């Protein structure tokens, strides 16, 4: 099923009941919250100061459990079977919604605020399970697609829940009460069909102290640098989104001239964009965790966030516009498109980051890593509120706040990519490779997920390293001929990827020895290293004799060796035959169909140069 659509997961028991359960939970969260907003704002006769007070305290109550209980929730998800915990969480939701119904009926704000805290607790416990269960139930090539479906389902459930909750409360407390209780019951019923997901750390000793455990789970987050920076990226998204959504009610009223229907409409556009972007991630990434989409997403967030400012920098003279009237007004379509595209690129940004955390964190610690992620997210959401309030107090208009956020997004993205150059390198590789080729990847799951290994591959084109680097989930250190390393434009990518330049012994013996030393250091540090044992590009499309340098590397450091073979590259862009680098005319095989296939790893003792050459020839087959 490697090349199949992610939508097939919706027909499987290992995914569909969980997908429905988490979407119903997101629906109910937002149906209850918006029903509460409508009740307090329109049906209780409160003055605007009281409404403002409750509007500000409500988000704080919802987010407070994330600080208090995320660490404990991570332990629960690690120590116990996850499907069983989900069913208990859904029973908790039914009880909370029963209390909500009482609060609606008696118009008791203290009771409803208590329920809001309980629903925050519900989300706190469910969060670590939500993202930790996916790697247990999905294959590696399904992880991006599954995350895309979850993000799509969540964003649409949030939107529909907000609309349904508001509409139900507009008809009175009884319809709102029946809605939230009914959805909670359906969520519990769907949860009963979720298959067991065994505990990943059943012997974990539970720490009841939330403060020391919070510190501990944050240690799990920072343990792996790539995971930590991915969490920072996810949390930054919540900051960015938090600033935008917090400004939306007044932005809709003052700058778009719209009623509540326009606010719902632009939220709908954003949610649809997130859903589309999340679903496209699987297709664009080729069924693998493609972090090259993260810079692509951040660029889009900045560009269309900036355009929202330029589309409507000043307050409008229009008032009380419906959604259709807003679209018909000057600039309406441009603003609507901006909201769709901000959502679209948000999907490109957030889905690979979650998939990267899931694939890089240790399985026995993943739930606690997600719990730590939720704590950091909560801190950034609080920061978003403070940021918006601070800029507003400084006299900035809402479009200016959105402009500042978009500019800050660009600066933060640049900073993150200096911390994790792998993100930027994968983006540039992804752009180049997918512009020039159509690639099919097979067997890369045979490459170890952790620990040192040596990759050996035939050498056909100047793009070989980028193709391999963009197709293997882990970062790869390439050993490459120094003249290829120095090619303009590609040099930046190779240097960013910490490629190791090498020369022949007669050309530069010092560079040759430095290369072998650096390869040994990389393998000692548990990294992947890829070499091209032919020593240069093929001149006729055939595989040349493998040189003994590979044996010299393995004699110094005995690590597993994974044979790779590139197919279909001979005659394509940047191969010697018909290459624009070698001839004055364009190549005949632009957008060529190519392949990369990985074979079974060999122990160092069996990996002589002739054996590896034979394995690579077999993997490549007759297709050069």
């Amino acid at each position: 099923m490697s090349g199949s659509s992610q939508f097939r997961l919706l027909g499987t028991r290992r995914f569909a009941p969980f997908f429905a359960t988490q979407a119903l939970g997101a629906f109910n969260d937002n149906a209850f919250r918006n029903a509460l907003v409508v009740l307090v704002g329109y049906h209780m006769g409160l003055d605007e100061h009281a409404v403002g007070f409750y509007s500000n305290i409500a988000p704080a109550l919802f987010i407070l459990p994330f600080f208090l209980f995320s660490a404990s929730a991570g332990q629960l998800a690690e120590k116990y079977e996850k499907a069983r915990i989900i069913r208990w969480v859904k029973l908790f939701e039914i009880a909370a919604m029963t209390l909500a119904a009482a609060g609606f009926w008696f118009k008791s704000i203290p009771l409803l605020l208590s329920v809001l805290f309980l629903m925050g607790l519900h989300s706190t416990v469910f969060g670590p399970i939500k993202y930790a269960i996916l790697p247990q139930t999905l294959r590696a090539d399904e992880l991006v697609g599954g995350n895309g479906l979850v993000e799509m389902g969540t964003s649409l459930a949030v939107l529909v829940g907000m609309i349904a909750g508001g509409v139900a409360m507009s008809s009175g407390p009884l319809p709102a009460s029946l809605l939230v209780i009914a959805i909670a019951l359906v969520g519990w019923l769907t949860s009963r069909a979720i298959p067991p997901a065994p505990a990943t750390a059943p012997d974990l000793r539970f720490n009841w102290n939330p403060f020391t455990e919070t510190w501990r789970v944050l240690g799990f987050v920072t343990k792996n640098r790539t995971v930590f920076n991915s969490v920072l990226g996810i949390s930054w998204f919540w900051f960015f989104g938090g600033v935008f959504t917090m400004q939306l009610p007044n932005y809709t009223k003052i700058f778009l001239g719209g009623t509540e229907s326009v606010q719902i409409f632009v939220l709908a556009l954003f949610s649809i964009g997130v859903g589309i972007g999340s679903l496209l991630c699987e297709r664009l990434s080729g069924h693998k965790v493609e972090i090259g989409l993260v810079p692509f997403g951040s660029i889009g967030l900045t560009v269309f966030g900036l355009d929202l400012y330029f589309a409507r920098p000043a307050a409008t003279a229009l008032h009380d516009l419906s959604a259709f009237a807003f679209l018909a007004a000057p600039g309406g379509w441009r603003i609507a498109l901006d909201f769709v595209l901000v959502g679209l690129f948000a999907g490109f940004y957030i889905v690979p980051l979650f998939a990267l955390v899931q694939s890089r964190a240790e399985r026995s610690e993943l739930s606690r890593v997600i719990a730590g992620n939720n704590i950091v997210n909560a801190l950034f959401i609080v920061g978003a509120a403070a940021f918006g309030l601070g800029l507003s107090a400084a006299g900035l208009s809402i479009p200016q706040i959105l402009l500042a956020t978009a500019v800050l997004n660009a600066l933060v993205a640049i900073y993150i990519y200096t911390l994790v150059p792998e993100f930027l390198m994968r983006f540039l590789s992804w752009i180049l490779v997918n512009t020039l080729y159509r690639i099919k990847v097979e067997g890369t799951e045979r490459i170890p997920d952790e620990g040192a290994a040596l990759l050996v591959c035939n050498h056909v084109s100047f793009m070989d390293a980028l193709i391999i680097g963009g197709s293997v989930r882990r970062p790869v250190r390439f050993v490459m001929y120094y003249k290829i390393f120095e090619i303009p434009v590609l040099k930046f990518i190779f240097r960013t990827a910490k490629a190791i330049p090498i020369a022949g012994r007669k050309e530069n013996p010092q560079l040759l020895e430095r290369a072998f030393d650096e390869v040994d250091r990389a393998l000692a540090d548990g990294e992947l290293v890829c070499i091209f044992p032919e020593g240069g590009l093929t001149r006729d499309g055939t595989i040349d004799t493998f040189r003994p340098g590979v044996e010299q590397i393995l004699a110094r450091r005995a690590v597993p060796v994974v044979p790779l073979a590139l197919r279909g590259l001979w005659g394509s862009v940047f191969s010697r035959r018909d290459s624009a680098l070698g001839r004055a005319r364009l190549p005949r095989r632009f957008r060529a169909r190519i392949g990369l296939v990985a074979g079974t790893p060999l122990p160092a003792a069996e990996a002589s140069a002739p054996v590896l050459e034979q394995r690579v020839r077999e993997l490549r087959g007759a297709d050069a």
Side-chain angles (χ1 to χ4, degrees), residues 284-599:
L284 292 174
S285 67
H287 302 271
K288 64 180 185 294
V289 179
E290 182 48 76
I291 58 174
L293 288 173
V294 177
F296 190 39
S298 66
I299 291 169
L301 288 173
T302 295
V303 169
F304 296 105
L306 289 172
D307 196 61
L308 274 173
Y309 168 78
F310 292 108
R312 190 66 58 83
T316 181
L318 302 173
H319 300 286
D320 298 324
L321 297 178
S322 66
F324 289 111
F326 158 69
L327 281 178
W333 278 103
R334 177 180 174 181
I335 294 170
L337 184 61
D338 280 339
F339 273 101
V340 172
L341 292 173
V342 167
L344 179 80
F345 284 93
F348 292 161
Y349 179 89
I350 197 70
V351 169
L353 285 176
F354 271 119
L356 184 62
V357 170
Q358 291 163 341
S359 63
R360 294 286 180 88
E362 292 184 25
R363 186 63 59 84
S364 62
E365 299 172 356
L366 178 57
S367 295
R368 285 171 286 178
V369 169
I370 297 297
N373 169 75
N374 290 343
I375 294 169
V376 180
N377 289 174
L379 288 170
F380 274 68
I381 292 171
V382 172
F387 179 79
L389 290 172
L391 292 187
S392 180
L396 272 67
S397 68
I398 293 175
Q400 288 171 334
I401 293 173
L402 301 183
L403 174 65
T405 307
V407 171
L408 190 58
N409 179 69
L411 296 176
V412 169
I414 291 170
Y415 176 66
I416 290 176
Y417 304 145
T418 60
L419 292 177
V420 192
E422 178 189 353
F423 281 27
L424 184 59
M425 186 277 290
R426 289 291 287 255
F427 172 59
L428 296 174
S429 300
W430 183 80
I431 291 291
L432 282 170
V433 170
N434 286 277
T435 297
L436 299 174
Y437 307 103
R438 289 168 289 177
I439 183 169
K440 180 180 180 182
V441 179
E442 301 175 55
T444 51
E445 70 278 359
R446 296 179 178 130
I447 298 172
D449 288 333
E450 57 185 24
L454 187 66
L455 312 181
V456 298
C457 188
N458 58 318
H459 206 2
V460 190
S461 80
F462 292 98
M463 295 290 289
D464 291 354
L466 298 185
I467 294 167
I468 296 169
S471 302
V472 176
R473 290 196 302 165
R474 290 177 59 191
V476 181
R477 300 281 303 275
F478 289 93
V479 181
M480 60 178 57
Y481 187 47
Y482 74 99
K483 290 185 178 179
I484 297 179
F485 183 89
E486 295 293 335
I487 293 174
V489 180
L490 299 184
K491 178 180 179 179
F492 170 76
I493 301 176
F494 295 147
R495 189 180 297 277
T496 301
K498 299 180 182 179
I500 302 168
I502 194 170
R505 188 170 298 279
K506 292 182 180 179
E507 289 180 284
N508 192 330
Q510 292 81 15
L511 181 58
L512 176 66
E513 289 306 315
R514 284 202 303 270
F516 277 115
D517 289 342
E518 186 60 30
V519 168
D520 191 61
R521 277 193 293 271
L523 293 173
D525 290 339
E527 297 183 86
L528 288 181
V529 176
C530 181
I531 65 170
F532 301 99
E534 294 167 273
L537 296 182
T538 178
R539 295 183 176 275
D540 57 8
T542 62
I543 295 178
D544 201 355
T545 302
F546 278 19
R547 300 184 180 184
V550 61
E551 297 172 355
Q552 184 176 341
I553 291 171
L554 294 173
R556 294 178 64 173
R557 185 78 52 182
V559 297
V561 185
V562 183
L564 306 175
L566 288 162
R567 298 172 174 172
L569 271 165
W570 180 244
S572 68
V573 177
F574 294 109
S575 67
R576 288 194 181 277
R577 181 191 177 201
D578 287 340
S579 171
L581 296 179
R583 297 173 181 260
R585 57 188 175 85
L586 291 175
R588 292 179 293 180
R589 294 193 59 216
F590 184 76
R591 292 287 292 163
R593 293 186 181 276
I594 64 171
L596 173 69
V597 58

